[in-house]
Amino acid sequence: MKFIKRLFIFTLICTILGVGTIIGFYFYVKPDLPDVQELRHVELEAPMQVFSQDGKLIAQFGEKRRTPVEYEDIPQHLIEALIATEDSRFYSHYGIDPIGIGRAAIVVAMSGSAKQGASTITQQLARNFFLSNEKKIMRKIKEIFLAIRIEQELSKQEIMQLYVNKIFLGYRSYGFGAAAQTYFGRDLNDLTLSELATLAGMPKAPSTMNPIYSLDRATFRRNVVLRRMLDEQYITQAEFEEARAEAIESRYHSAEIELRAPYVAELARAWLVEQDGEAAYTQGKSIYTTVDSKLQKAANTAAINNLIAYDERHGYRQPQQSAWKEDETPLTNEEIKQFLRPQPIYSDLRPAVVTAVEEKTLQVEVKGRGTQTIEWDEMKWARPFINDDRQGPAPKRASDIATTGQLVWVRGTKLPELNDEANGDVLITESNIDEDELETASEPNMIWRLSQVPEANTAFVAMNPDNGAVLSLVGGFNFVHNKFNRATQSVRQVGSSIKPFIYAAAVDDGMTLATLINDAPINQWDKTQGTAWRPRNSPPTYIGPTRVRIGLATSKNVMAVRVLRAVGLDETREYLTRFGFEMDQLPRSETIALGAGSLTPVKMAQGYSVFANGGYYVDPFYISRVESRFGDIEWQATPKEICRENCEIAPLTQDSTNDSLEQEFMEQDVEPTGEPQEPQYAPQVLSEQTAFLMREMMYSNVWGGGNWRSGTGWNGTGWRAQPLKRRDIGGKTGTTNDSKDAWYNGYGPGMVAISWVGFDNHNRKLGKTTTNKNLGKDQITGGEAGARTAQPAWVDFMQVALDGVPTQAKQIPSNIVRVRIDRDSGLLTNKFDSSSMFEYFLEGTEPTEYIEESLTDTIYSNSDSEELF
């Protein structure tokens, strides 16, 4: 009895000391314990996502990938796998598992090391949210107290949901929803039992037990999880055997980018960071842009294919790198892969090493795509590049083009009938993990073409002229290659693209489409320069007195100068600010009529929209709305509307047009949406009648005029758009001196589109080309210009953009009259033969005299009459 009594007293003392120690520890660490109530309002870090207006994912920004899931959406097998593996008494304990702790203590005592963990799921949650992973006793004590408090505050379902969404699982994936996408490329609910068990086995060591790092370790750990699920009777023996026999097929999957629009994504990212700071990367907000996925894909294809076509017709620049020289031992297949690994991938353009050269074929090892063959038809374009104006002879055999060991660039294109829409640019959002390094199966329907990285560059913008929404934007050849956005940042000389604005000033000043302007050389002495100024047409042909419609459509330089003089230089420059152009980018010189001013492609789209929408000034914008992670609209764009009747329209002010686009875009206020606001109306800067007459002249740029059968037919410089067979389109070519910039600017129903091609080096000319004997009769040759160099992209884009869009009937405003005139003089005529035509006039400006009465009354000039002829 004495022994029992002493044992009881000893036990009581130990219990009192143990409880006292626990209480003491609790009060000691209590000031450092966080408030677990925070877990009820926790906002898990989630990346920023950028979407098109129709919900296609463009980009994802943020260090942590996370796809939060609700408890109801967590697969039951995943819950069971986690409980069986991590915490088999999860539903019965109160935060800590005494049995598990005791078992772990025995293991430590017997082995001398901690081979078995004792942390419950609740303890892991406490550690992940509030503590570090340092192995110290005090951290463990805090973890225990936090786990107990968490169990008091949250239900088991809430704890499980937070655990599933919080835990790190390797490759920047936080939570099982993100891990499912990272390792298997599917949603959590679409995974098999084997795949769920693979993920459930990773919390123990996510960096080394994932199937990308080590398939063997991941497989072993998966089998452990399946065995525990079987022991706990969560699965049957048959399910265990089937899942265990399933091979793990895993590779790195980036965010499922559905649309390639990296330059738009960067604009959206920079804007939200400007508003929210670095928190923008973790708030899980979704930015919906104004970009239309169909139009963006069309712009991508049209602009890049056109740029590469320009580059190829100027010749093949020999590769600067080789994996081995001709007289050296070739590398092995594995060594070639290692050589290619650091080489970048530019969307469809991939690096490759030439491994064999035959008579009319090349064998190449393509990064991420294995061994491929390039047939003669896909490389016969590659005559030597000498300079921008000269090319060498056309090649006759493959050895004229490449040698073994050379690093070349290739493009893979699918056969049209099997082509799909996959065109993501994974390097935009996952720059430190290149999934394209992973080998993929050879695709039998893929055609491989020899290519090269273009030295020139391009920009393309399509915009809704009625509200300013940017529908598609290409800022350059490739965002990974160069992040400079030429659509919004590159200020380039506009060449003849400026002429419609010059002519609009003249129309508003009383000039008509039938007014005669003398198309004759100008030779004017410049006292300040001590030289004569002699602007010339391109080509340098002159036809004498010519109607204004023809002058603009055929881009007559000397006529543009005379039109400018008719209005006045200062008056014209002031007039151009109506379109949003900055005065300091419009030189005070008559050379402005020939395109000496400099603007960005987006500014050009903004200006041409005034013609397309009937005379209203609209600001371009890229973001439609911003949503929280829960889908609540936090901000929504309120673009100015075009009101055509019964509205109070604010007058256009200098300040409203002269701020730079980038500044306007970055300074948008982000305010929560509230009560519906009164609509803001776009200011009208041109009369509807002037806008209509300008569209008429740009319509002639495509379709020309006259009667070809009777010998009066003529084409505008934009005639290459005629295959579109649309009578509701128009535009204007633009080429600068020495062909350093090439433009095409045009409109169609519901959109304005701008195409630009040039070198980033402002001093480099686009050059010219001669005929390549290996190619067909449809190849582009001669000097590069807006019609040859930029317009093909515009035509290809419009071919897709206007597909299915009904032809728009011509809308003739009030006060516009149509009268029959003589083609040569622009005067009224009674004839109904090929010498006459109908022309539009603002009522009151139509001619009143007939051709028999006078031939010269409407000839416009600032100079003596003898200069006209």
Side-chain angles (χ1 to χ4, degrees):
M1 289 296 294
K2 287 182 180 181
F3 173 76
I4 294 174
K5 184 177 180 180
R6 289 174 180 171
L7 181 61
F8 174 77
I9 294 172
F10 177 75
T11 303
L12 181 61
I13 293 172
C14 288
T15 301
I16 294 172
L17 288 174
V19 171
T21 301
I22 292 172
I23 294 173
F25 270 123
Y26 174 74
F27 281 103
Y28 177 75
V29 301
K30 182 179 179 181
D32 298 329
L33 294 179
D35 184 2
V36 298
Q37 283 287 346
E38 294 177 14
L39 294 177
R40 289 195 175 277
H41 311 288
V42 67
E43 288 194 6
L44 297 170
E45 292 185 11
M48 175 205 314
Q49 292 186 313
V50 182
F51 295 90
S52 65
Q53 62 169 264
D54 48 343
K56 302 293 185 183
L57 182 61
I58 295 175
Q60 179 170 288
F61 298 99
E63 185 63 28
K64 296 181 179 180
R65 295 182 61 183
R66 194 188 307 275
T67 307
V69 293
E70 299 293 329
Y71 180 81
E72 296 77 15
D73 298 324
I74 303 173
Q76 187 60 32
H77 273 322
L78 177 60
I79 294 174
E80 293 166 349
L82 291 172
I83 290 174
T85 309
E86 300 292 329
D87 189 357
S88 59
R89 282 171 288 278
F90 174 70
Y91 288 113
S92 59
H93 64 63
Y94 296 97
I96 60 173
D97 183 4
I99 297 175
I101 293 174
R103 185 175 60 247
I106 293 173
V107 170
V108 171
M110 296 180 64
S111 64
S113 61
K115 295 182 177 180
Q116 183 169 338
S119 294
T120 63
I121 285 176
T122 313
Q123 287 177 262
Q124 293 181 49
L125 183 68
R127 182 168 65 247
N128 287 332
F129 268 101
F130 300 117
L131 304 171
S132 67
N133 288 320
E134 58 181 354
K135 295 183 178 180
K136 293 184 178 180
I137 294 177
M138 190 56 65
R139 194 272 297 167
K140 194 69 176 179
I141 292 172
K142 292 179 180 179
E143 179 186 297
I144 290 172
F145 287 131
L146 280 172
I148 295 172
R149 291 173 64 174
I150 288 172
E151 291 277 351
Q152 294 171 347
E153 297 291 339
L154 304 180
S155 67
K156 292 290 186 179
Q157 288 79 7
E158 290 172 320
I159 293 170
M160 180 59 73
Q161 178 178 322
L162 285 170
Y163 178 80
V164 165
N165 286 315
K166 176 68 176 179
I167 194 165
F168 175 64
L169 293 169
Y171 285 91
R172 299 194 297 170
S173 298
Y174 290 79
F176 284 89
Q181 287 289 345
T182 298
Y183 295 104
F184 300 108
R186 302 199 303 281
D187 291 337
L188 198 55
N189 279 308
D190 295 332
L191 301 188
T192 65
L193 172 61
S194 170
E195 291 166 339
L196 289 171
T198 301
L199 296 182
M202 287 166 51
K204 182 176 182 180
S207 297
T208 57
M209 288 188 174
N210 69 73
I212 296 176
Y213 180 84
S214 174
L215 185 59
D216 290 340
R217 291 183 183 181
T219 302
F220 176 80
R221 182 62 179 167
R222 177 204 63 181
N223 294 341
V224 170
V225 174
L226 291 172
R227 171 61 65 182
R228 287 291 303 138
M229 294 180 72
L230 179 64
D231 293 343
E232 295 291 332
Q233 300 182 355
Y234 289 132
I235 59 175
T236 65
Q237 184 67 36
E239 289 175 317
F240 170 78
E241 296 293 344
E242 181 182 358
R244 194 173 187 276
E246 182 180 313
I248 300 176
E249 296 182 1
S250 174
R251 67 179 180 86
Y252 179 79
H253 294 79
S254 66
E256 292 297 315
I257 304 301
E258 301 171 280
L259 178 65
R260 186 193 306 159
Y263 293 95
V264 176
E266 174 58 20
L267 286 170
R269 181 205 66 80
W271 177 75
L272 191 59
V273 170
E274 179 77 10
Q275 308 300 328
D276 294 353
E278 293 300 309
Y281 296 113
T282 61
Q283 294 170 333
K285 290 184 178 181
S286 297
I287 306 175
Y288 285 85
T289 67
T290 57
V291 166
D292 177 276
S293 62
K294 174 187 172 183
L295 299 183
Q296 182 63 40
K297 289 175 184 177
N300 290 340
T301 302
I304 303 309
N305 285 351
N306 180 61
L307 178 65
I308 290 178
Y310 161 83
D311 190 66
E312 288 184 358
R313 65 177 174 263
H314 280 263
Y316 184 59
R317 299 179 295 277
Q318 282 296 315
Q320 301 300 309
Q321 284 185 267
S322 295
W324 68 87
K325 302 295 183 183
E326 282 192 280
D327 56 350
E328 295 176 344
T329 303
L331 301 183
T332 65
N333 190 262
E334 189 59 37
E335 288 172 333
I336 291 175
K337 289 182 179 179
Q338 292 300 318
F339 175 81
L340 289 172
R341 186 175 296 277
Q343 301 296 331
I345 294 172
Y346 302 132
S347 190
D348 296 331
L349 210 61
R350 290 174 173 270
V353 171
V354 179
T355 56
V357 179
E358 300 174 8
E359 179 67 16
K360 291 293 179 85
T361 61
L362 294 176
Q363 295 291 327
V364 292
E365 186 70 23
V366 184
K367 180 177 181 179
R369 295 296 182 265
T371 302
Q372 304 293 343
T373 300
I374 300 177
E375 303 291 347
W376 179 245
D377 283 346
E378 304 304 320
M379 60 173 152
K380 64 184 181 182
W381 63 268
R383 56 182 175 173
F385 170 88
I386 298 176
N387 56 46
D388 291 325
D389 293 322
R390 294 181 57 203
Q391 302 82 42
K396 296 179 179 180
R397 58 188 66 84
S399 58
D400 294 338
I401 299 171
T403 59
T404 56
Q406 283 185 331
L407 174 68
V408 298
W409 294 90
V410 298
R411 296 178 74 201
T413 57
K414 291 188 177 182
L415 295 176
E417 64 271 21
L418 298 174
N419 195 25
D420 58 28
E421 297 182 348
N423 66 349
D425 195 338
V426 298
L427 294 179
I428 297 170
T429 54
E430 303 290 348
S431 57
N432 65 333
I433 303 172
D434 183 2
E435 69 167 332
D436 283 301
E437 290 184 9
L438 302 171
E439 195 72 26
T440 60
S442 176
E443 298 176 89
N445 60 316
M446 185 74 79
I447 296 175
W448 291 92
R449 180 178 179 86
L450 181 68
S451 191
Q452 60 190 355
V453 178
E455 291 186 346
N457 229 302
T458 189
F460 195 96
V461 179
M463 177 175 149
N464 183 336
D466 291 333
N467 61 10
V470 173
L471 302 174
S472 62
L473 185 147
V474 177
F477 162 64
N478 185 272
F479 187 76
V480 177
H481 181 253
N482 191 312
K483 295 176 174 55
F484 180 67
N485 190 337
R486 293 154 192 84
T488 62
Q489 296 174 304
S490 186
V491 180
R492 305 292 301 217
Q493 281 200 346
V494 296
S496 296
S497 303
I498 202 69
K499 289 177 182 175
F501 306 102
I502 305 288
Y503 277 73
V507 170
D508 260 357
D509 196 46
M511 196 174 288
T512 73
L513 276 59
T515 299
L516 293 185
I517 303 294
N518 197 17
D519 179 30
I522 294 175
N523 190 344
Q524 178 179 317
W525 181 257
D526 187 337
K527 294 181 180 179
T528 60
Q529 298 293 327
T531 59
W533 184 48
R534 299 184 179 94
R536 294 180 298 174
N537 287 342
S538 180
T541 58
Y542 305 87
I543 58 177
T546 304
R547 285 180 285 119
V548 162
R549 180 191 281 265
I550 298 175
L552 178 61
T554 58
S555 200
K556 296 288 188 178
N557 287 338
V558 294
M559 289 182 66
V561 174
R562 287 193 165 99
V563 168
L564 173 68
R565 290 175 175 178
V567 179
L569 176 59
D570 291 335
E571 291 80 1
T572 300
R573 293 178 70 232
E574 183 67 30
Y575 187 90
L576 263 56
T577 62
R578 299 186 184 195
F579 300 90
F581 305 156
E582 289 80 11
M583 186 71 79
D584 60 0
Q585 293 179 340
L586 303 171
R588 193 177 184 279
S589 165
E590 288 185 344
T591 59
I592 191 176
L594 308 181
S598 299
L599 300 166
T600 66
V602 167
K603 277 291 186 184
M604 291 299 290
Q606 177 181 335
Y608 274 82
S609 290
V610 176
F611 299 132
N613 66 26
Y616 297 85
Y617 175 89
V618 293
D619 287 309
F621 70 103
Y622 307 90
I623 295 177
S624 174
R625 69 183 186 277
V626 177
E627 293 184 0
S628 71
R629 71 176 69 202
F630 306 108
D632 300 323
I633 296 178
E634 294 192 350
W635 179 86
Q636 191 154 12
T638 54
K640 292 180 179 178
E641 302 175 8
I642 291 179
C643 183
R644 305 190 189 276
E645 57 183 19
N646 300 324
C647 344
E648 293 184 7
I649 301 176
L652 184 71
T653 64
Q654 188 77 13
D655 291 340
S656 66
T657 60
N658 285 355
D659 293 333
S660 73
L661 174 65
E662 288 289 320
Q663 192 68 18
E664 288 175 3
F665 179 67
M666 296 302 293
E667 290 180 355
Q668 291 185 65
D669 292 329
V670 179
E671 298 292 344
T673 56
E675 294 298 320
Q677 299 178 353
E678 288 294 323
Q680 293 184 323
Y681 297 126
Q684 188 168 11
V685 297
L686 292 186
S687 69
E688 188 179 1
Q689 291 75 20
T690 297
F692 169 80
L693 294 172
M694 293 309 304
R695 290 199 302 274
E696 274 297 299
M697 285 195 277
M698 288 189 284
Y699 165 85
S700 293
N701 180 258
V702 173
W703 289 105
N707 187 312
W708 290 97
R709 290 182 180 178
S710 62
T712 61
W714 57 275
N715 267 325
T717 58
W719 61 266
R720 288 175 175 81
Q722 292 178 9
L724 293 174
K725 298 179 180 180
R726 303 281 304 214
R727 294 285 177 168
D728 54 358
I729 61 174
K732 182 67 187 74
T733 51
T735 309
T736 61
N737 283 343
D738 299 323
S739 295
K740 295 178 181 178
D741 295 272
W743 299 79
Y744 195 77
N745 321 271
Y747 63 87
M751 73 184 69
V752 163
I754 308 296
S755 173
W756 170 85
V757 178
F759 287 96
D760 288 336
N761 178 355
H762 289 237
N763 294 318
R764 188 169 174 182
K765 304 174 185 178
L766 287 166
K768 57 186 177 182
T769 58
T770 55
T771 301
N772 185 334
K773 295 179 180 179
N774 286 345
L775 304 181
K777 62 181 181 179
D778 294 331
Q779 60 184 295
I780 294 174
T781 59
E784 300 290 348
R788 292 189 180 100
T789 314
Q791 191 182 18
W794 190 90
V795 172
D796 289 347
F797 171 80
M798 283 297 189
Q799 187 76 54
V800 176
L802 298 182
D803 183 36
V805 178
T807 300
Q808 190 177 63
K810 187 174 293 187
Q811 302 295 320
I812 302 177
S814 60
N815 299 326
I816 290 290
V817 296
R818 189 167 179 253
V819 300
R820 183 175 287 277
I821 63 169
D822 175 70
R823 292 183 184 276
D824 292 332
S825 67
L827 299 179
L828 296 175
T829 181
N830 289 318
K831 296 181 180 180
F832 291 88
D833 57 17
S834 60
S835 68
S836 66
M837 61 170 285
F838 280 106
E839 185 58 279
Y840 293 99
F841 295 87
L842 177 65
E843 189 173 12
T845 66
E846 68 271 23
T848 57
E849 299 180 26
Y850 284 82
I851 185 172
E852 293 80 5
E853 299 176 18
S854 173
L855 295 177
T856 60
D857 285 355
T858 57
I859 297 177
Y860 232 107
S861 174
N862 291 8
S863 308
D864 295 335
S865 60
E866 57 266 22
E867 185 193 352
L868 298 176
F869 305 102

